[in-house]
Amino acid sequence: MALDHAPRRRPAAPRLHARSAAVATGILITGLLATPVHAQHGTATPSPGTGAPIGTVARTVGDARFEPGPCPKTPEPVAALQGARCGTLTVPENRSKPDGRKITLGVAIVSAASAEPKPDPIVWLAGGPGDDAVGEAKMAIDGGLNRDRDVIFMSQRGTYSADPVFTCPNIDEFNARAVGLVYDAPSTGRLHVDATRACREKLAATGADLGAYNDTESAADYADLRAALGIKQWNLYGISYGTHLALVSMRLHPEGLRSVGIDGILPPSTAGSALTWSAARQGFDGLFKACADQPACNRRYPNLSATFDRLVRRLEAKPVTTTVTLPGNPKPVKVVLDGGALVNWMTSATHVAPQVPRALDELAHGKPQRIAQQWAGGKLSPQAIGRVAHGLVYGIFCSEWTPYETQAQALKGGQDAFPTFPRSVQAQAPQLTFLRPDCKAWNVPAAAPSIRDVTRSDIPTLALSGGFDSQTGAENGPYVARTLPNATVVTVPYEPHVVFATSTCAQEIAVSFFDTPTAPKTGCLKGLRPPKFEIGP
């Protein structure tokens, strides 16, 4: 997600990469490191009825137009996009005003590696909200998603390779400074909201309709892309927040959907602060249990859950201030760790699970440097600055989430999940710190109540989760499957948020799903083993 001007949930060992700032982009987010699988480019799939490869023909359908052209910009070169067929999709910014402003979305199509590609491509829906799908092409292709099918990447409206771009580096820069502030202090909250308000004012001054950056419009963008590319049928693969958009798309635009994979699941019907608390509880408990089940870890770090709980309460009462040095940053960085900071660090740290027991033990014995370095390293990383579309993040959270969850419900989520935490910690949901005042400053209309409807569909669906997922929680798989009769629910044990990024088994399951959507191959799950936790002196 993206909201709390919080760290990006992108794993990297040995330190955590920062995520977004403003909205909880942390929740869903992900870019993440996928285990490389060979990715060569093969024959381009022809567009149905034209004989020309998909994405090489200009076409206008209704108010949307696809135009072949250069590949979209990315922060760094992406080798997976070499040889891709690219262009732009132009659509109305607000479809209720078809004669109003137009926006353009970058499109890249990577050919299937197979010499005989299947006719139905896979569309990659990025995380965030606010991440750019084009920049995630490496993850998808390294994971083998283009083995038999073309893979299509389109920047969601407002994201890095779209026009207009709704990134706000001032929010990311505030996040970097905030490592030296008490995380959930009212004074920090005021500065947090100031950064959000400055972002809004900057974007509104361009004439943008901030209320048009939401799931309803984004789902229509993808439906328009399918029509403009002349594709009869395709498949979706959404990660993190992309699962939210996939479930909305299944409900609003089911036509042409052959199958849908969702990985790191965020149901639109329950999304909000209470859900992030529940997810944190699930992911933390999964990691704590894995340590308890491993004799060496349990002997050295007994009752890790109680240690964590005690540390949250202790730090919230008396925050710890330390100084750390970071790679590429010559100046020492001041870091303040309070209870809220520790909870949010832990939400990201499940991506480097083997380090967590030792890191908590060090903190409990007066050595905060490891956790402080990871916490600051995420927010001060170059990858955390100027890449997340905070305008899209707030557009979704503030129109689709906060209008349908009261402050009391949000607080209860924290109280139910972690009843012993101090109220000041319970009041700021992981990944969504200061969400309500941020949304008051963002000031966009509430979405229609139907945006919270449960998705009911017989489209074959793969619901993938990680056993250590502390950002969306593995329980969301069975939850969405209740109304998806052709869903296959898979939890990959010992994995964090977005299993496709970290698990070769998850990659194999996903690729097999698109071969046989009603019977993916899951045999690789039997051979999975827990991580070997680091044992300190």
Side-chain angles (χ1 to χ4, degrees):
M1 290 183 334
L3 239 167
D4 72 319
H5 303 21
R8 284 177 156 276
R9 282 34 181 193
R10 307 196 175 217
R15 68 186 177 85
L16 305 178
H17 280 219
R19 202 199 141 39
S20 146
V23 240
T25 142
I27 224 184
L28 318 175
I29 219 154
T30 328
L32 304 154
L33 304 177
T35 303
V37 178
H38 21 281
Q40 61 249 31
H41 303 307
T43 305
T45 303
S47 181
T50 68
I54 294 171
T56 58
V57 177
R59 183 185 283 107
T60 299
V61 178
D63 295 320
R65 178 170 177 78
F66 176 78
E67 191 78 44
C71 286
K73 65 178 181 179
T74 55
E76 295 91 19
V78 178
L81 296 177
Q82 293 178 7
R85 307 183 302 283
C86 298
T88 56
L89 181 74
T90 301
V91 295
E93 183 179 51
N94 187 330
R95 285 176 173 79
S96 69
K97 303 172 184 177
D99 296 326
R101 226 166 82 131
K102 305 291 185 183
I103 62 174
T104 60
L105 311 175
V107 178
I109 304 169
V110 175
S111 294
S114 171
E116 298 182 2
K118 306 294 184 184
D120 46 288
I122 298 169
V123 180
W124 180 270
L125 302 181
D131 288 348
D132 193 324
V134 180
E136 294 180 347
K138 173 178 168 55
M139 190 200 314
I141 303 308
D142 281 357
L145 208 59
N146 72 323
R147 188 192 68 186
D148 300 307
R149 290 172 170 80
D150 292 357
V151 181
I152 300 174
F153 305 90
M154 182 171 75
S155 51
Q156 290 174 34
R157 47 181 53 212
T159 59
Y160 189 88
S161 63
D163 184 13
V165 180
F166 272 18
T167 56
C168 284
N170 75 292
I171 287 178
D172 306 319
E173 291 160 0
F174 168 76
N175 287 340
R177 296 194 303 273
V179 300
L181 304 175
V182 175
Y183 185 79
D184 52 18
S187 56
T188 303
R190 288 190 289 272
L191 294 172
H192 189 289
V193 175
D194 286 346
T196 300
R197 186 178 294 108
C199 172
R200 189 196 193 284
E201 291 172 354
K202 172 188 172 183
L203 299 180
T206 67
D209 182 351
L210 301 186
Y213 290 76
N214 55 47
D215 279 309
T216 302
E217 293 288 358
S218 288
D221 293 341
Y222 283 95
D224 281 347
L225 177 66
R226 186 179 66 83
L229 291 178
I231 297 171
K232 181 178 179 181
Q233 193 175 51
W234 66 13
N235 310 273
L236 303 181
Y237 194 85
I239 63 165
S240 193
Y241 156 74
T243 68
H244 193 283
L245 179 55
L247 289 162
V248 171
S249 297
M250 291 169 72
R251 188 168 56 81
L252 298 182
H253 300 281
E255 60 281 358
L257 292 183
R258 172 180 174 266
S259 68
V260 177
I262 48 178
D263 177 354
I265 302 162
L266 184 70
S269 54
T270 58
S273 296
L275 185 72
T276 68
W277 277 119
S278 172
R281 178 86 271 177
Q282 293 170 54
F284 298 175
D285 283 353
L287 191 156
F288 295 150
K289 183 178 185 303
C291 175
D293 289 345
Q294 196 169 112
C297 189
N298 190 47
R299 281 194 302 271
R300 181 64 182 81
Y301 309 113
N303 207 348
L304 199 60
S305 179
T307 299
F308 176 71
D309 184 276
R310 184 170 61 252
L311 284 169
V312 170
R313 288 184 280 113
R314 180 199 301 176
L315 291 175
E316 191 66 6
K318 189 176 181 180
V320 167
T321 300
T322 188
T323 301
V324 299
T325 56
L326 302 174
N329 193 332
K331 296 182 179 180
V333 176
K334 173 188 171 185
V335 180
V336 177
L337 295 176
D338 66 348
L342 186 63
V343 170
N344 280 269
W345 165 82
M346 183 68 179
T347 305
S348 295
T350 50
H351 288 287
V352 288
Q355 300 181 33
V356 168
R358 183 176 182 180
L360 290 174
D361 183 71
E362 289 175 356
L363 179 62
H365 289 87
K367 298 177 182 178
Q369 284 72 27
R370 181 191 295 252
I371 289 176
Q373 202 163 33
Q374 291 181 346
W375 179 238
K379 292 190 176 186
L380 275 73
S381 164
Q383 287 76 31
I385 308 296
R387 301 194 182 190
V388 172
H390 298 296
L392 177 60
V393 175
Y394 285 120
I396 291 165
F397 289 176
C398 301
S399 69
E400 302 177 19
W401 291 21
T402 57
Y404 300 105
E405 180 182 57
T406 67
Q407 191 165 0
Q409 289 170 329
L411 177 61
K412 187 175 185 299
Q415 293 170 335
D416 289 347
F418 295 94
T420 63
F421 280 5
R423 186 182 174 91
S424 55
V425 175
Q426 294 168 340
Q428 304 297 340
Q431 312 171 72
L432 298 170
T433 312
F434 306 114
L435 174 59
R436 301 193 77 82
D438 275 337
C439 284
K440 184 177 180 181
W442 201 253
N443 189 28
V444 290
S450 60
I451 197 67
R452 306 284 291 189
D453 286 353
V454 169
T455 298
R456 303 178 186 278
S457 174
D458 60 2
I459 296 169
T461 305
L462 174 65
L464 274 171
S465 301
F468 289 174
D469 186 349
S470 56
Q471 291 168 248
T472 54
E475 291 178 4
N476 288 334
Y479 170 80
V480 298
R482 297 181 311 165
T483 53
L484 303 173
N486 289 324
T488 301
V489 178
V490 176
T491 297
V492 183
Y494 319 120
E495 293 294 337
H497 184 56
V498 182
V499 293
F500 191 90
T502 56
S503 166
T504 54
C505 180
Q507 294 164 4
E508 292 171 13
I509 293 169
V511 172
S512 75
F513 167 74
F514 292 114
D515 287 340
T516 54
T518 57
K521 298 177 181 178
T522 60
C524 60
L525 294 169
K526 296 177 182 178
L528 300 182
R529 296 289 181 268
K532 185 176 181 181
F533 291 98
E534 293 183 14
I535 305 298

